[in-house]
Amino acid sequence: MIRMSLRFKLCSQVLGTPATSVRGCDARCLFLSSSLSFSTSKINKKEISRPTGEQLRIVALRASIPMVGFGFMDNLVMITAGEAIDSTFGVALGLSTMAAAGFGQCFSDVAGITSGGIVDATVSKLNLPHHGLSQDQLDLKSTRIWSTIGACVGVLVGCLSGMTCLLFMDTDKAEREKKAKELQSIFNSIMDEGAQKSFNAERTTLFMLDKEKMELWSQTATRSEGIIKVPANAGIAGACLKTGKLIRVADAYSDTRFNPNVDKETGFRTKSVMAIPVKNKKGKIVGVIQVCNKKNPDGTKASISGGRQFDGNDEKLLIMLASHVTSFISIVTE
């Protein structure tokens, strides 16, 4: 009742009518009250001045600088952590590159949360120009658009800058190690058990071709550790790769095509050699199988001067072995 009386009294003063007659014009009072509220809000909106072009550019700048830092850190941590996971756990557990990248993104998100204060503190020390806009001006559509554009440009620049770490990383290392691990199973089942017993040789090596770097690499050499890398055009394996034909050499060091550098690095002494190209289903050469040093019938090493030689039967066995390896490699790479 008290509220009603006050409302009627106010309407009486506004309309210039007695309070007793105001009860009959309650609708007019409410209409007048709402009209005044609408007019006031309309006036307030008109009073908000539009930011200048310079002020909008400052808004975009202040929005972009922090995002440069966040974008740089996000990509840097994601790529570095993802590569580390891919080359360790990825190789050991057989994780895909996409899974490693996902784990790297998890590390990146955690780093973004924990380092957010550092980025903000660093930006606050840059003494960036102030736009001088009020909160109402910042809430304008045009201001928000410029702020969003600035943030997008900033995060794009930051992400691209964070990708520069790829220039200093061996991005193919994990992929090579994964292939080497998969090929190791092929080597153990075919090269070690089959080739060693069939050829009675000291060493058998499965080289794979890296077309981008034009290298022959292998981790699958009997009684050897680590990855062996040789130029694709070097040595007897390189000659086999170039000609696409089986090569049989009685004395490696008397053959001009032989590359002795591998012997120097590994401490192995090559005598007799036999090599054959490995092709995929399309007929393209993807690697080379090399068999070294025919042993004596009793399994002992042959002497350097009077070493035993590979013969025609060994060539037939090597052709058959290359066919089996082609089938297994096709399964691994598809």
Side-chain angles (χ1 to χ4, degrees), residues 10-11 27-40:
L10 177 62
C11 289
R28 283 192 297 162
C29 179
L30 293 175
F31 174 76
L32 178 61
S33 177
S34 62
S35 299
L36 290 172
S37 299
F38 176 77
S39 300
T40 304

Side-chain angles (χ1 to χ4, degrees), residues 34 57 139 215 226 229 248 262 270:
S34 62
R57 284 190 289 271
D139 291 337
E215 289 180 342
K229 295 181 182 180
R248 177 156 55 104
V262 177
T270 304

Side-chain angles (χ1 to χ4, degrees), residues 9-71:
K9 186 175 182 180
L10 177 62
C11 289
S12 174
Q13 293 175 355
V14 174
L15 298 173
T17 57
T20 55
S21 63
V22 171
R23 295 180 184 271
C25 59
D26 189 28
R28 283 192 297 162
C29 179
L30 293 175
F31 174 76
L32 178 61
S33 177
S34 62
S35 299
L36 290 172
S37 299
F38 176 77
S39 300
T40 304
S41 63
K42 192 172 182 180
I43 292 172
N44 290 337
K45 286 185 178 179
K46 288 184 177 180
E47 289 177 353
I48 301 175
S49 58
R50 298 182 63 83
T52 63
E54 181 65 21
Q55 288 176 318
L56 292 175
R57 284 190 289 271
I58 294 175
V59 169
L61 176 65
R62 294 181 68 90
S64 65
I65 297 301
M67 299 311 296
V68 172
F70 285 120

Side-chain angles (χ1 to χ4, degrees), residues 151-194:
C152 291
V153 172
V155 76
L156 181 61
V157 172
C159 288
L160 293 176
S161 301
M163 291 176 64
T164 54
C165 63
L166 292 172
L167 299 174
F168 310 98
M169 297 170 64
D170 184 2
T171 55
D172 298 327
K173 179 182 178 181
E175 193 65 28
R176 286 199 307 269
E177 291 180 351
K178 287 180 182 178
K179 286 185 178 180
K181 186 178 180 181
E182 293 171 343
L183 292 172
Q184 188 70 46
S185 62
I186 301 175
F187 175 74
N188 292 336
S189 60
I190 297 180
M191 304 294 290
D192 196 13
E193 298 176 6

